[in-house]
Amino acid sequence: MATALVIGGSGQIGRLAVPALVADGWEVRVLTRDAAAHGAQVAAWGAELVVGDRHDPDALDRALVGGVDALVDVVAYDDTDAELLLARRDRIGSAVVVSSAAVYVDAHGDGFETDEFGTFPVPVDEDQPTVAPGRGSYATGKVALEHAWLRAADVPATVLRPGAIHGPGCRQPREWTFVKRVLDGRDVRVLAYDGASRFHTTSTQVIAELVRLAAANPGDRVLNAADPEALTVAEIGDAVDTALGVRTRTVTVPGPPVDDVGLTPWCVPRPMVLDMSRAREALGYVAPGGYAQTVRPAVEWLVEQARAGDWRTAFPGFVRMEAMGDFFAYDAEDRLLADRLD
């Protein structure tokens, strides 16, 4: 039986990727720091728990004992995470590593982390330029991670570049923007850029399926990972409404948010749409479902988490994302709506 080690296997991507590998006949190990929180779930998946920190050499040695046919790293940040593993390359047959579409830049070097958001072709394929590798930001770190693995000629590596990830277990759930509004009794949403922003979404189901296929078919490649369609932010809101069984009135405004009114995590002035042709050609990939289908479990999970306790504790990544602005600027929004009625 082929053996796989999944680093980050107890998180949002792992909770689907690990069962997918087990169902495909793999003997799966999951490296996690918290046995108490995740041990029962990992056992229920039919996987083996290895307790330890990914930055602890002894933990990595335990996780890789006897060698593994595939290493799946869904939480690596930069090349330092790769180097610890590549130092043990004699125990790794192949790798599947999750990066990000945030690495892309346009012909002028503008992208996700520049003052001017990039003007990208529609769709963006994997040959699109990226930021330079480094350790100074999320995107530069991800490129450094990619380079480290792709330059390891003796370990075939598949790099996956997802867009805006959604799924149960997400620590940065963008859909919370719309779910919280409904739970707060808001029956209207205001969207900037006429509600037409397109920031391609990626279900954890999509990533799990690509992990499964890439692990079974090792090779050096970079693949986009995205839902079969790139919905507008207005369409995303409608899909979340459907999952909640509600109907929210949408009001749009031209241009960027003003006083944070119209702000969402998908709020981009120009589209970011990912081309999935290469995944289909390289792996025979077939999407497990569209956004409207795959987002429902995420929405249901968000409601459960909100009922169980403080959402800021449950979704720490969303709290950090508030550096963009106030996603719930209700007072300013009410003033805009009142002005419109006048």
Side-chain angles (χ1 to χ4, degrees):
M1 182 180 290
T3 302
L5 169 63
V6 182
I7 299 178
S10 58
Q12 62 166 338
I13 296 173
R15 67 169 57 194
L16 292 180
V18 171
L21 289 168
V22 171
D24 225 23
W26 289 81
E27 182 180 290
V28 181
R29 305 170 190 170
V30 174
L31 179 64
T32 182
R33 292 174 294 182
D34 195 337
H38 304 296
Q41 184 62 76
V42 170
W45 292 334
E48 175 189 352
L49 185 74
V50 181
V51 180
D53 190 298
R54 66 164 305 139
H55 300 111
D56 179 356
D58 291 338
L60 292 180
D61 287 337
R62 290 197 307 275
L64 292 168
V65 66
V68 296
D69 296 287
L71 168 81
V72 179
D73 193 345
V74 301
V75 292
Y77 188 78
D78 60 24
D79 57 316
T80 59
D81 290 329
E83 288 166 359
L84 284 169
L85 292 163
L86 286 169
R88 294 158 177 78
R89 67 208 311 144
D90 59 317
R91 285 161 274 176
I92 300 171
S94 65
V96 183
V97 181
V98 176
S99 179
S100 171
V103 303
Y104 289 124
V105 293
D106 65 12
H108 304 288
D110 292 324
F112 285 82
E113 297 182 339
T114 53
D115 292 337
E116 181 73 17
F117 187 79
T119 302
F120 297 101
V122 178
V124 172
D125 67 24
E126 293 84 349
D127 295 327
Q128 183 71 18
T130 70
V131 296
R135 297 176 186 168
S137 71
Y138 177 77
T140 59
K142 284 293 189 180
V143 174
L145 171 73
E146 294 182 5
H147 286 194
W149 280 107
L150 294 172
R151 288 172 178 167
D154 52 342
V155 182
T158 297
V159 169
L160 302 178
R161 291 175 177 166
I165 298 175
H166 62 94
C170 185
R171 294 170 63 82
Q172 184 176 292
R174 293 169 176 84
E175 284 71 17
W176 180 240
T177 310
F178 292 152
V179 173
K180 184 178 187 299
R181 288 177 157 274
V182 172
L183 297 181
D184 288 343
R186 305 286 294 186
D187 61 358
V188 62
R189 67 172 66 96
V190 179
L191 302 177
Y193 298 115
D194 293 315
S197 292
R198 285 200 293 165
F199 178 8
H200 211 152
T201 56
T202 302
S203 167
T204 50
Q205 294 182 38
V206 166
I207 300 175
E209 178 63 5
L210 288 168
V211 165
R212 182 186 73 83
L213 292 170
N217 300 275
D220 287 310
R221 56 176 81 95
V222 176
L223 301 176
N224 286 333
D227 291 333
E229 67 285 297
L231 300 184
T232 66
V233 66
E235 291 169 333
I236 289 172
D238 288 342
V240 172
D241 275 1
T242 299
L244 289 167
V246 300
R247 183 74 174 177
T248 302
R249 180 167 61 98
T250 295
V251 174
T252 63
V253 293
V258 176
D259 296 329
D260 293 332
V261 176
L263 178 68
T264 74
W266 306 272
C267 187
V268 291
R270 289 172 290 279
M272 162 50 70
V273 178
L274 299 174
D275 189 339
M276 289 298 293
S277 301
R278 193 165 298 181
R280 292 191 292 269
E281 295 165 1
L283 299 175
Y285 166 75
V286 176
Y291 181 86
Q293 293 76 45
T294 59
V295 80
R296 182 176 292 275
V299 170
E300 293 171 349
W301 178 80
L302 286 171
V303 173
E304 291 173 2
Q305 294 298 304
R307 288 172 176 165
D310 181 8
W311 70 267
R312 290 183 175 275
T313 302
F315 314 136
F318 190 96
V319 175
R320 290 192 295 272
M321 197 163 54
E322 288 184 315
M324 292 175 61
D326 184 358
F327 296 106
F328 311 110
Y330 295 158
D331 290 343
E333 184 177 285
D334 288 340
R335 288 193 294 271
L336 178 145
L337 294 171
D339 290 343
R340 285 204 167 193
L341 287 176
D342 292 343

